Amino acid sequence: MSEKRRKFWLAAAAGMAAAMLSGEASAQATCANTIVANVVAFDQPLMYNRLGAQNVNAMMYALRHDVIDKTSGRTEAAGGTLTAGNVELRPDKRPRPLVLRVAAGDCLTVNFENLLSPIPNPLNAPEVNAIGQAFNIQIDNQVNTRWAGFHPQGLDLVGDINSDSSFVGNNDNSLVDVGQSATYKFYAPEEGAFLVTSYGATFGGEASGGNVGVGLFGAVNVQPKQARMYRSQVTEEELRLATVGTTKTGQPMVDYEATYPHERPWTTEGKAGRPILNMLDGDVLWHSDINAIIMGPNADGSFPPDTYPLESVGKRNPAYPTRLEPFREFASVWHDENAVAQAFEGWFNDPVLGHTLHGVRDSFMINYGSGGIGAEIIANRLGVGPMYDCLDCAYEEFFLTSFTVGDPAMLVDIPANAGLEACDPNLNNCEAVGPKATKAFFPDDPANVHHSYIGDFVKFRNVHAGPKEQHIFHLHNHQWLFNPNDDNSNYL
């Protein structure tokens, strides 16, 4: 590099640093639309599968109207009072990483409130198992710092540096203390998936990942320009409410703009008049599902030709012919080295067997769901859970197929480890065996299995929250186009 060019880049870098340190705007965007999300961070126990892996002291983000006052059991719209340390996710909504959706060219305003408990690990408590023995499911991996924020990595800031939700260098602290709130503004320049984390605690905890190891993360999924966004997984009741008749062939006709009725129970749940399927209520995000149906602005749900480069010049990749069609979107937030109370703690804490089980524990997850092979094998050997009667299951049967376990991320009324919390490899306290679950919860979001129809256009949006090992997404028995804009692109 020439001396002249070197001095130019040094001067440019110095100018950028000075702008950031002085709090100048990092982006002055022209917003096609401004979407608003009212987001809270709070302590929430998480169950990771039907075997019983869990973290009583987990954390998560959620839309404000999806949490309830623990005392009254009501949402804020239905008369509840949301105060720090006294909220939880409403019981009909499955805990999932928060997924916010906007279209490319939109701005996102996040009204954020920190509703974490003032003290770390607030939900630890001794328990008594089914056979009268005391045990403790404490998980102490929350860090002491209770500051929190909302930082989508890769989106542009709008206004000034205070939307960065951080405390770096000479900048002011734009994080949020317990019980306090802040407004962050972002610009989404292009389609993609952007990981959301909290810079309130970036060190400590499991794998030194701050509060990532206990679940405080999410994603902002940016759709093609002018996209419309709808739910793709709902309950039977919700689909019935949105159905306005049938076609001549008997197929249901769905009103994608239907709203909940102005009557009980929707009035007491704060849902009356709100959209059932549309993820937006005006310009406010009302749904944050992990899966969605994305439509273009055209009447048939398609996108205009200028959405993608090839179509804008009247050319289309023959191996990728459907980019302008509406599509299903599957959001997957991967996370590893999580703080987890294993389903059979006595086995995993054994001084000898613990080494064998460490690499197959419930720790690597997708969307708060886990299928660690270690607990599945133990459950089979004990004769409990869905695999209780598989006499010829050895090892791989639990790992590369679902016929033994079904979907391990299903959440049920009675986990397989109920009554076996004190069970150990010497088979002490291991009497409470046999199948346990009688029903699954969350019929609109029952599992980590994505669903589509033959011929559907599908996009997976994958981000990895960390905090330690990173994993490459791959789907067995499928091919992936290297570059949809090149007819000669390679398959990988």
Side-chain angles (χ1 to χ4, degrees):
M1 181 182 291
S2 68
E3 182 65 16
K4 183 176 180 181
R5 285 178 61 83
R6 188 183 72 84
K7 289 182 178 179
F8 169 79
W9 286 112
L10 288 174
M16 292 173 63
M20 293 188 70
L21 292 174
S22 64
E24 293 181 9
S26 58
Q28 295 296 341
T30 300
C31 309
N33 299 286
T34 296
I35 305 302
V36 178
N38 300 309
V39 176
V40 296
F42 59 105
D43 300 282
Q44 173 72 29
L46 294 180
M47 185 72 74
Y48 298 117
N49 56 35
R50 64 187 300 174
L51 299 182
Q54 61 189 280
N55 184 350
V56 69
N57 279 309
M59 295 177 173
M60 64 179 293
Y61 293 112
L63 295 176
R64 186 181 183 89
H65 58 261
D66 283 334
V67 299
I68 60 173
D69 173 3
K70 285 184 181 180
T71 303
S72 67
R74 294 177 176 269
T75 63
E76 191 172 49
T81 301
L82 304 185
T83 57
N86 194 44
V87 298
E88 62 186 1
L89 198 66
R90 69 172 208 254
D92 64 322
K93 184 173 178 62
R94 177 170 179 162
R96 291 291 199 185
L98 178 73
V99 180
L100 305 182
R101 291 178 171 86
V102 298
D106 286 352
C107 286
L108 173 64
T109 295
V110 176
N111 298 316
F112 175 73
E113 185 171 6
N114 181 350
L115 295 179
L116 295 170
S117 168
I119 60 172
N121 305 296
L123 301 176
N124 278 334
E127 302 283 348
V128 175
N129 67 16
I131 56 177
Q133 295 171 321
F135 72 103
N136 203 304
I137 54 173
Q138 289 195 25
I139 294 290
D140 293 320
N141 276 92
Q142 289 187 7
V143 300
N144 285 335
T145 300
R146 307 308 283 169
W147 291 76
F150 187 92
H151 182 92
Q153 302 172 19
L155 296 188
D156 295 342
L157 308 184
V158 174
D160 57 45
I161 194 64
N162 288 325
S163 284
D164 195 53
S165 184
S166 63
F167 191 15
V168 179
N170 290 332
N171 296 315
D172 292 335
N173 184 0
S174 54
L175 298 168
V176 178
D177 200 358
V178 170
Q180 303 300 308
S181 59
T183 296
Y184 305 124
K185 298 180 179 180
F186 310 100
Y187 174 67
E190 60 186 22
E191 184 179 354
F194 301 87
L195 177 69
V196 174
T197 54
S198 170
Y199 277 6
T202 57
F203 189 75
E206 189 72 15
S208 291
N211 284 327
V212 168
V214 295
L216 193 58
F217 49 77
V220 176
N221 286 0
V222 181
Q223 313 302 334
K225 292 183 296 183
Q226 305 180 67
R228 295 176 287 161
M229 298 158 286
Y230 298 90
R231 302 172 71 193
S232 67
Q233 292 183 180
V234 296
T235 63
E236 181 276 334
E237 179 183 50
E238 288 173 318
L239 187 59
R240 179 166 40 82
L241 289 173
T243 300
V244 293
T246 58
T247 65
K248 292 180 179 180
T249 59
Q251 297 298 316
M253 299 172 60
V254 176
D255 176 9
Y256 280 84
E257 308 304 328
T259 58
Y260 290 99
H262 285 275
E263 57 187 65
R264 293 174 63 90
W266 300 283
T267 51
T268 58
E269 295 175 349
K271 298 179 183 178
R274 304 295 188 176
I276 299 173
L277 300 177
N278 195 331
M279 290 192 162
L280 284 172
D281 185 10
D283 61 357
V284 177
L285 276 165
W286 189 254
H287 295 291
S288 61
D289 302 24
I290 57 171
N291 295 335
I293 294 174
I294 308 299
M295 300 183 186
N298 297 334
D300 63 353
S302 65
F303 291 89
D306 64 355
T307 302
Y308 296 107
L310 284 183
E311 283 80 358
S312 65
V313 295
K315 184 181 179 183
R316 181 172 293 178
N317 190 318
Y320 203 138
T322 58
R323 271 200 291 176
L324 298 181
E325 293 184 5
F327 59 91
R328 295 186 186 275
E329 179 187 73
F330 301 145
S332 294
V333 183
W334 301 49
H335 44 117
D336 203 347
E337 295 297 326
N338 287 266
V340 181
Q342 300 298 316
F344 303 100
E345 285 276 86
W347 294 67
F348 285 83
N349 293 333
D350 182 80
V352 176
L353 194 57
H355 292 283
T356 303
L357 292 172
H358 181 79
V360 290
R361 70 197 189 282
D362 281 292
S363 180
F364 170 44
M365 305 187 184
I366 303 174
N367 292 337
Y368 299 157
S370 175
I373 186 176
E376 295 170 4
I377 294 173
I378 294 170
N380 172 251
R381 302 305 190 260
L382 292 175
V384 67
M387 65 290 289
Y388 79 102
D389 60 350
C390 186
L391 300 179
D392 58 350
C393 287
Y395 196 86
E396 293 294 314
E397 289 86 354
F398 298 97
F399 180 50
L400 294 177
T401 180
S402 296
F403 88 92
T404 304
V405 187
D407 177 38
M410 181 184 294
L411 300 183
V412 297
D413 56 345
I414 308 175
N417 70 335
L420 297 169
E421 298 87 353
C423 176
D424 62 37
N426 295 317
L427 299 184
N428 297 311
N429 309 310
C430 299
E431 294 80 13
V433 296
K436 298 289 178 65
T438 65
K439 63 180 178 181
F441 293 133
F442 309 110
D444 59 323
D445 187 10
N448 266 0
V449 176
H450 300 293
H451 295 271
S452 62
Y453 293 96
I454 293 175
D456 277 357
F457 181 16
V458 173
K459 292 187 181 183
F460 288 83
R461 309 277 194 199
N462 301 292
V463 294
H464 199 304
K468 194 179 179 184
E469 293 93 351
Q470 304 295 307
H471 296 264
I472 302 300
F473 171 83
H474 64 287
L475 191 62
H476 291 222
N477 300 318
H478 278 64
Q479 292 179 314
W480 301 97
L481 195 62
F482 177 69
N483 182 358
N485 294 318
D486 182 358
D487 283 359
N488 298 314
S489 174
N490 293 323
Y491 276 98
L492 301 179

